Amino acid sequence: MVAGNFDEPASLDAAFKGASAIFSVTDYWILYGSLLARQQSSANGQSTMLLAKEKGIQQNKNIIDAAAKVETLERFIFSSLPNTEKLSGGKYSHTSVLYAGFFLENYLKPDASAYRPKLDNTKNTLSLAAVGTVHLPMFSAKANTGPIVHALIREAAGQKVIASNTWLTFQDFARTLANVLSKDIEFTNEQPSFNISDPELGQNFADMMGWYIEFNYDGSKVDKSVIQPKDLGVESHLMSVEEWCRKQDWERILDVT
């Protein structure tokens, strides 16, 4: 295995040497959340989100430039975002909407409490606050990305796919989890708190939700070129949401009320 650093083009040249297929994906949120990015933004007055965006753009340029040099390359698969500004006619110009879909692994993070059900052991019940009814393309990034990328390699070039297992609302997921855990489920009118200290990030999340409602998570209400995994014949090979739920240690993960 050869290591490559997105910030070091020479290392990418070495990592890509002789490759027939390259799958490229960067992580904006790692850039945003890094202490270095926050220190730089406070020092020079730049927005943390803008700084992370610019760094991500440069990383992707480095990847593409390195891939363009690979004479053996047959397929380049690029994990990207819908052009929300173009598709919305300029209404949503700062929204992050991942074609990769909504990672089920998000439910395992400490900051998922706003949309993760809570457990009431006294009533043997899961409860979920009012988090909206937007359908999201949920899938396991760890279990399902590989089969979808492999299917894209087999297909003709030029496909645009939303990596997802199934489209669910947060309420749908809560029902699935309750069924897996043999719990009852109740939905409350309590408004969830996202505890966002960065006003710019809060506006970004608000724009994201507006985008989801108006254009779909993947922009497919206006961009009809977006296809689903089933169109690649890979749907049956993906781990289901229920199966994924059964593999998690929810006793450790769920907040108990």
Side-chain angles (χ1 to χ4, degrees):
M1 182 177 293
V2 181
N5 187 321
F6 295 157
D7 298 317
E8 299 176 4
S11 73
L12 296 177
D13 291 339
F16 293 168
K17 185 177 180 180
S20 59
I22 295 173
F23 171 53
S24 166
V25 57
T26 57
D27 193 329
Y28 169 85
W29 294 110
I30 286 181
L31 297 176
Y32 173 82
S34 69
L35 179 61
L36 177 61
R38 289 184 179 277
Q39 288 176 336
Q40 288 178 344
S41 65
S42 61
N44 59 23
Q46 274 189 290
S47 155
T48 303
M49 297 193 72
L50 179 59
L51 189 67
K53 176 183 177 181
E54 290 176 348
K55 187 173 180 62
I57 289 173
Q58 186 58 56
Q59 287 185 342
N60 281 298
K61 286 181 177 179
N62 293 343
I63 294 168
I64 292 170
D65 288 345
K69 302 175 188 176
V70 182
E71 296 181 355
T72 56
L73 189 63
E74 298 176 12
R75 186 61 50 81
F76 180 70
I77 299 175
F78 184 67
S79 179
S80 185
L81 313 174
N83 190 331
T84 57
E85 183 172 12
K86 178 180 178 180
L87 294 176
S88 66
K91 183 175 181 179
Y92 297 105
S93 58
H94 302 290
T95 309
S96 297
V97 188
L98 296 176
Y99 274 102
F102 184 86
F103 296 170
L104 289 172
E105 286 78 8
N106 287 332
Y107 276 100
L108 310 181
K109 297 180 179 179
D111 58 359
S113 58
Y115 53 84
R116 183 173 57 215
K118 293 179 173 59
L119 174 62
D120 185 337
N121 278 323
T122 61
K123 297 193 297 183
N124 197 40
T125 298
L126 294 182
S127 65
L128 183 67
V131 288
T133 57
V134 176
H135 284 80
L136 302 174
M138 296 191 179
F139 86 122
S140 169
K142 291 184 177 180
N144 294 339
T145 300
I148 295 173
V149 171
H150 187 253
L152 280 171
I153 292 173
R154 298 197 310 268
E155 289 289 318
Q159 304 288 348
K160 187 188 299 180
V161 63
I162 173 68
S164 67
N165 177 281
T166 187
W167 290 70
L168 300 174
T169 65
F170 288 126
Q171 288 88 342
D172 293 333
F173 177 87
R175 292 186 185 96
T176 299
L177 181 59
N179 181 64
V180 167
L181 299 178
S182 299
K183 307 290 185 184
D184 293 327
I185 182 71
E186 65 178 15
F187 301 106
T188 71
N189 293 322
E190 177 186 355
Q191 294 300 311
S193 173
F194 288 90
N195 295 319
I196 299 174
S197 58
D198 184 341
E200 187 179 18
L201 182 59
Q203 182 59 52
N204 181 267
F205 280 175
D207 284 348
M208 286 171 63
M209 294 307 297
W211 165 265
Y212 298 162
I213 293 170
E214 194 166 352
F215 296 97
N216 273 355
Y217 186 101
D218 56 358
S220 56
K221 284 188 178 180
V222 288
D223 184 358
K224 302 304 180 183
S225 66
V226 180
I227 63 174
Q228 304 292 320
K230 65 180 181 181
D231 299 317
L232 299 174
V234 73
E235 186 177 36
S236 62
H237 300 294
L238 302 181
M239 179 184 291
S240 70
V241 173
E242 180 177 342
E243 182 182 357
W244 181 85
C245 285
R246 293 188 184 280
K247 292 179 177 292
Q248 312 311 315
D249 182 6
W250 293 106
E251 184 175 338
R252 178 183 61 83
I253 297 165
L254 292 177
D255 297 321
V256 179
T257 59

